[in-house]
Short mmCIF file of all heavy atoms in Angstrom, two decimals:
data_model
loop_
_atom_site.label_atom_id
_atom_site.label_comp_id
_atom_site.label_asym_id
_atom_site.label_seq_id
_atom_site.Cartn_x
_atom_site.Cartn_y
_atom_site.Cartn_z
N LEU A 35 191.27 55.88 67.97
CA LEU A 35 192.10 55.43 69.08
C LEU A 35 191.26 54.80 70.18
O LEU A 35 190.18 55.29 70.50
CB LEU A 35 192.82 56.63 69.66
CG LEU A 35 193.78 57.40 68.66
CD1 LEU A 35 194.55 58.52 69.37
CD2 LEU A 35 194.71 56.45 68.02
N ARG A 36 191.74 53.73 70.71
CA ARG A 36 191.08 53.00 71.77
C ARG A 36 191.21 53.75 73.05
O ARG A 36 192.25 54.42 73.32
CB ARG A 36 191.72 51.56 71.90
CG ARG A 36 191.55 50.71 70.65
CD ARG A 36 190.16 50.25 70.48
NE ARG A 36 190.09 49.29 69.39
CZ ARG A 36 188.96 48.60 69.12
NH1 ARG A 36 187.81 48.84 69.83
NH2 ARG A 36 188.93 47.74 68.09
N ARG A 37 190.19 53.66 73.91
CA ARG A 37 190.23 54.28 75.23
C ARG A 37 190.50 53.19 76.28
O ARG A 37 189.82 52.17 76.30
CB ARG A 37 188.98 55.02 75.62
CG ARG A 37 188.66 56.17 74.55
CD ARG A 37 187.30 56.66 74.77
NE ARG A 37 187.03 57.32 76.02
CZ ARG A 37 187.32 58.59 76.31
NH1 ARG A 37 187.84 59.36 75.36
NH2 ARG A 37 187.12 59.03 77.47
N ILE A 38 191.38 53.43 77.24
CA ILE A 38 191.81 52.54 78.28
C ILE A 38 191.73 53.16 79.60
O ILE A 38 192.39 54.20 79.75
CB ILE A 38 193.18 51.93 77.92
CG1 ILE A 38 193.17 51.17 76.58
CG2 ILE A 38 193.58 50.95 79.05
CD1 ILE A 38 194.52 50.83 76.00
N PHE A 39 191.05 52.55 80.56
CA PHE A 39 191.05 53.07 81.86
C PHE A 39 192.30 52.65 82.57
O PHE A 39 192.67 51.47 82.69
CB PHE A 39 189.84 52.60 82.65
CG PHE A 39 189.83 52.97 84.06
CD1 PHE A 39 189.38 54.29 84.43
CD2 PHE A 39 190.21 52.11 85.09
CE1 PHE A 39 189.42 54.70 85.77
CE2 PHE A 39 190.23 52.52 86.42
CZ PHE A 39 189.83 53.72 86.75
N VAL A 40 193.08 53.61 83.17
CA VAL A 40 194.31 53.37 83.92
C VAL A 40 194.17 54.09 85.24
O VAL A 40 193.80 55.26 85.35
CB VAL A 40 195.53 53.86 83.16
CG1 VAL A 40 196.81 53.56 83.92
CG2 VAL A 40 195.61 53.30 81.78
N SER A 41 194.49 53.38 86.31
CA SER A 41 194.44 53.97 87.67
C SER A 41 195.31 55.17 87.72
O SER A 41 196.47 55.15 87.22
CB SER A 41 194.84 52.95 88.75
OG SER A 41 193.87 51.82 88.74
N PRO A 42 194.94 56.24 88.47
CA PRO A 42 195.73 57.45 88.53
C PRO A 42 197.11 57.14 89.07
O PRO A 42 198.13 57.86 88.63
CB PRO A 42 194.98 58.33 89.51
CG PRO A 42 193.55 57.86 89.43
CD PRO A 42 193.64 56.35 89.17
N GLU A 43 197.30 56.23 89.96
CA GLU A 43 198.71 55.96 90.59
C GLU A 43 199.57 55.31 89.54
O GLU A 43 200.77 55.26 89.79
CB GLU A 43 198.54 55.05 91.75
CG GLU A 43 197.81 53.76 91.61
CD GLU A 43 196.36 53.76 91.85
OE1 GLU A 43 195.74 54.87 91.81
OE2 GLU A 43 195.85 52.69 92.20
N ASN A 44 199.06 54.87 88.39
CA ASN A 44 199.89 54.33 87.40
C ASN A 44 200.27 55.34 86.26
O ASN A 44 200.79 54.93 85.23
CB ASN A 44 199.23 53.08 86.78
CG ASN A 44 199.12 51.95 87.71
OD1 ASN A 44 198.22 51.87 88.53
ND2 ASN A 44 200.06 51.02 87.65
N ILE A 45 199.87 56.57 86.48
CA ILE A 45 200.20 57.56 85.47
C ILE A 45 201.11 58.62 86.17
O ILE A 45 200.74 59.26 87.14
CB ILE A 45 198.88 58.25 85.00
CG1 ILE A 45 198.00 57.24 84.41
CG2 ILE A 45 199.15 59.37 83.96
CD1 ILE A 45 196.65 57.78 83.95
N SER A 46 202.24 58.90 85.54
CA SER A 46 203.12 59.94 86.04
C SER A 46 203.10 61.07 85.03
O SER A 46 202.23 61.14 84.18
CB SER A 46 204.59 59.42 86.17
OG SER A 46 205.08 59.04 84.86
N GLN A 47 204.02 61.99 85.14
CA GLN A 47 203.98 63.17 84.25
C GLN A 47 204.18 62.91 82.81
O GLN A 47 203.55 63.49 81.90
CB GLN A 47 205.14 64.16 84.70
CG GLN A 47 205.06 65.48 84.00
CD GLN A 47 206.11 66.51 84.51
OE1 GLN A 47 206.79 66.22 85.40
NE2 GLN A 47 206.11 67.65 83.92
N ASP A 48 204.97 61.84 82.53
CA ASP A 48 205.18 61.54 81.08
C ASP A 48 205.12 60.02 80.77
O ASP A 48 205.50 59.63 79.66
CB ASP A 48 206.56 62.07 80.65
CG ASP A 48 207.72 61.48 81.50
OD1 ASP A 48 207.47 60.68 82.37
OD2 ASP A 48 208.88 61.82 81.25
N ARG A 49 204.66 59.28 81.68
CA ARG A 49 204.78 57.83 81.51
C ARG A 49 203.49 57.06 82.15
O ARG A 49 202.97 57.50 83.13
CB ARG A 49 206.00 57.28 82.19
CG ARG A 49 206.26 55.78 82.16
CD ARG A 49 207.52 55.45 82.96
NE ARG A 49 207.79 54.07 83.06
CZ ARG A 49 208.60 53.41 82.30
NH1 ARG A 49 209.20 54.02 81.29
NH2 ARG A 49 208.84 52.08 82.42
N ILE A 50 203.15 55.99 81.51
CA ILE A 50 202.04 55.15 82.05
C ILE A 50 202.59 53.71 82.21
O ILE A 50 203.27 53.21 81.30
CB ILE A 50 200.86 55.10 81.01
CG1 ILE A 50 200.21 56.50 80.98
CG2 ILE A 50 199.87 54.04 81.40
CD1 ILE A 50 199.13 56.59 79.94
#
Side-chain angles (χ1 to χ4, degrees):
L35 302 183
R36 300 287 187 172
R37 297 170 66 86
I38 299 168
F39 176 79
V40 181
S41 298
E43 58 266 25
N44 290 84
I45 302 175
S46 65
Q47 186 173 358
D48 59 1
R49 179 186 175 91
I50 291 172

